[in-house]
Amino acid sequence: MLVSSIAPALPSWFTPKRLLVVFCVINLINYVDRGAIASNGVNGSLGTCTEGDTCTSGTGIQGDFNLNNFEDGCLSSAFMVGLLVASPIFASLAKSVNPFRLIGVGLSVWTFAVVGCGLSFNFWSIIICRMLVGVGEASFISLAAPFIDDNAPAAQKTVWLAIFYMCIPSGYALGYVYGGLVGSYSNWRFAFWGEAILMLPFAVLGFVMKPLQLKGFIPAESKEEPTGVETGVSEVQGVLNGKDGSFSMEGDVRYSTIHKQNEVNFATKIKVQISRFMKDMKVLLVEKVYVVNVLGYIAYNFVIGAYSYWGPKAGYNIYHMTDADLIFGGITIVCGILGTVAGGFLLDFMTSSISNAFKLLSAATFFGAIFCFSAFCFTNMYAFLAFFSVGELLVFATQGPVNYICLHCVKPSMRPLAMAMSTVSIHLFGDVPSSPLVGVLEDCINNWRVTALILTSVFIPAAGIWFIGIFLPSVDRFDEESDNDNQITTTERSSTTPLLGGTKTETIESAAEP
């Protein structure tokens, strides 16, 4: 007969709510860095000279390194190089290495890269460090959302995602304020070092805490160790001859053979990873819901990215805001929090579905575009602030729904790659080119109001693309089985629930005589 015994797993320090809080703080620090480098206090300005040959020295990064607007815009885009290279790698490694440990690796790289930004001595040194910041972001952004989606209550998944993505506008806003204060009372380099100090404990946490599992992935400890490992060990031990453990000529030959075999195995693993990645990419590219969602997100992020980087400088030049960092920071943090959370609550209230998410995306973006465009038409600063605030409330309502679609239109084992490629796409074709292009546009027309109006009009195509998504046939695949190469047996699934605070069931089968 079968005898089963149930042994509780060692409890993890993480509960679902603690996991959400920790990931939110990490995301917040990540975007504080983005806001800080865009703030007038850290970014600074070029030196100027009057007709009477009276010159004032530049301030911040732009002044210290004498950057034009195009080079200055590249600072916000350089991280994309690291993100583009590292995102697919981290997403693929998640199938063979514990994702929680990968986040620890990424946050460590991020921390050292930010320290390097503070130590930079010219344009190229800080550009390289910003690239490494992108490597660190790649692991966290592609893996954090699936963890949250796994552990959120069923009726509040969009709200939890909205709370997590609320940290993007909030982080930017705090970064404006933080960078402005540090730049005003100290040196811009201290802003980066302060960020590194804040992130360091979370990087360490990724290595010292009991790792968590993702839905659709077999945990490392449940996989049987390949017999080739034991064989390799015994063969290496077998090359030792004599009591003194010295190598014989025969042993040297055998050791060389084993070494070559290991190299071949490593090359084979690399080929398998590349083949798996290409296969998964093909699945993503033929998924119409995913593609339409990301295309709309690209157009949306083109505007948001340029807003976040050039906003304080545009506000200072159009409306002569003496405290542009604080004003834009205050508006963004209030509207970002209220808008993002409201979008999540609204989708859950409508009943979370891919079709409803597209409806909310298109409507919120369209009306947000109208208010933001109207805001820049006003010459009065207070009228601008009122309309722009409403517009930001609406456009930030998209954060929960857009990521809900990314996570639920693909199978669980595809979610890290779906998030990674979504992040790569919105940066590569969205905010990365938008900041330099807006800088070039402003250099040509020298009118921040016109530049802002042209930029804001890009919201309309984003709303139109998401409107198309409403009519696409869609299926929520959150509960579907994983792909064949990652399927979990019934016994394994019962013993590796991804939810926190659960128990681990061990089934012991023994034969007994009747």
Side-chain angles (χ1 to χ4, degrees), residues 196-214:
I197 292 172
L198 293 174
M199 186 65 84
L200 183 60
F202 298 101
V204 174
L205 191 69
F207 294 102
V208 300
M209 292 300 300
K210 180 183 176 182
L212 308 176
Q213 305 298 340
L214 271 179

Side-chain angles (χ1 to χ4, degrees), residues 307-432:
Y307 271 180
S308 62
Y309 193 76
W310 293 113
K313 193 163 290 187
Y316 177 80
N317 285 275
I318 297 173
Y319 298 103
H320 307 292
M321 299 178 186
T322 54
D323 296 319
D325 286 340
L326 295 176
I327 293 174
F328 267 84
I331 291 175
T332 304
I333 194 169
V334 173
C335 296
I337 291 174
L338 295 179
T340 306
V341 175
F345 271 112
L346 185 57
L347 182 57
D348 284 336
F349 178 78
M350 294 168 62
T351 302
S352 297
S353 69
I354 293 176
S355 178
N356 284 341
F358 274 126
K359 292 175 184 177
L360 183 56
L361 288 173
S362 59
T365 305
F366 177 75
F367 289 107
I370 293 175
F371 275 93
C372 288
F373 191 92
S374 301
F376 284 108
C377 294
F378 288 105
T379 56
N380 182 277
M381 184 182 71
Y382 297 104
F384 162 78
L385 293 177
F387 273 73
F388 191 71
S389 297
V390 176
E392 282 208 322
L393 273 172
L394 290 167
V395 297
F396 280 130
T398 61
Q399 290 299 311
V402 72
N403 288 285
Y404 176 89
I405 294 173
C406 275
L407 289 169
H408 286 255
C409 71
V410 297
K411 295 181 180 180
S413 63
M414 292 285 293
R415 290 183 305 166
L417 183 62
M419 294 303 299
M421 297 316 299
S422 172
T423 303
V424 167
S425 299
I426 64 174
H427 290 317
L428 182 61
F429 303 108
D431 58 359
V432 166

Side-chain angles (χ1 to χ4, degrees), residues 122-380:
N122 61 14
F123 172 70
W124 286 108
S125 63
I126 194 170
I127 282 290
I128 291 173
C129 289
R130 297 309 297 175
M131 292 178 185
L132 292 175
V133 168
V135 174
E137 179 183 338
S139 69
F140 180 71
I141 293 301
S142 58
L143 298 171
F147 270 121
I148 293 173
D149 196 50
D150 273 357
N151 296 283
Q156 298 178 337
K157 286 185 178 292
T158 315
V159 172
W160 280 44
L161 287 173
I163 292 172
F164 175 71
Y165 285 102
M166 172 192 72
C167 298
I168 294 178
S170 302
Y172 264 121
L174 288 175
Y176 292 153
V177 177
Y178 169 72
L181 292 175
V182 173
S184 299
Y185 295 100
S186 184
N187 189 284
W188 60 268
R189 299 178 186 273
F190 287 98
F192 293 113
W193 296 335
E195 294 164 10
I197 292 172
L198 293 174
M199 186 65 84
L200 183 60
F202 298 101
V204 174
L205 191 69
F207 294 102
V208 300
M209 292 300 300
K210 180 183 176 182
L212 308 176
Q213 305 298 340
L214 271 179
K215 179 183 176 67
F217 293 89
I218 302 175
E221 61 269 18
S222 70
K223 297 179 181 178
E224 294 182 0
E225 185 179 90
T227 55
V229 175
E230 296 179 359
T231 304
V233 172
S234 63
E235 287 181 349
V236 172
Q237 291 176 342
V239 303
L240 293 173
N241 294 286
K243 295 181 179 179
D244 58 351
S246 60
F247 284 94
S248 67
M249 183 63 69
E250 179 184 357
D252 290 340
V253 174
R254 293 173 63 189
Y255 182 79
S256 176
T257 302
I258 294 170
H259 182 69
K260 291 180 180 178
Q261 185 179 0
N262 288 337
E263 289 181 349
V264 172
N265 290 338
F266 179 76
T268 301
K269 289 180 180 179
I270 295 297
K271 291 180 181 179
V272 170
Q273 289 287 351
I274 294 175
S275 175
R276 179 185 294 167
F277 171 73
M278 297 305 295
K279 177 184 175 183
D280 290 345
M281 281 300 300
K282 183 178 179 180
V283 173
L284 284 182
L285 292 177
V286 299
E287 177 56 62
K288 294 179 181 178
V289 171
Y290 179 81
V291 172
V292 168
N293 185 55
V294 172
L295 287 176
Y297 204 8
I298 288 171
Y300 167 90
N301 218 53
F302 187 94
V303 183
I304 293 297
Y307 271 180
S308 62
Y309 193 76
W310 293 113
K313 193 163 290 187
Y316 177 80
N317 285 275
I318 297 173
Y319 298 103
H320 307 292
M321 299 178 186
T322 54
D323 296 319
D325 286 340
L326 295 176
I327 293 174
F328 267 84
I331 291 175
T332 304
I333 194 169
V334 173
C335 296
I337 291 174
L338 295 179
T340 306
V341 175
F345 271 112
L346 185 57
L347 182 57
D348 284 336
F349 178 78
M350 294 168 62
T351 302
S352 297
S353 69
I354 293 176
S355 178
N356 284 341
F358 274 126
K359 292 175 184 177
L360 183 56
L361 288 173
S362 59
T365 305
F366 177 75
F367 289 107
I370 293 175
F371 275 93
C372 288
F373 191 92
S374 301
F376 284 108
C377 294
F378 288 105
T379 56
N380 182 277

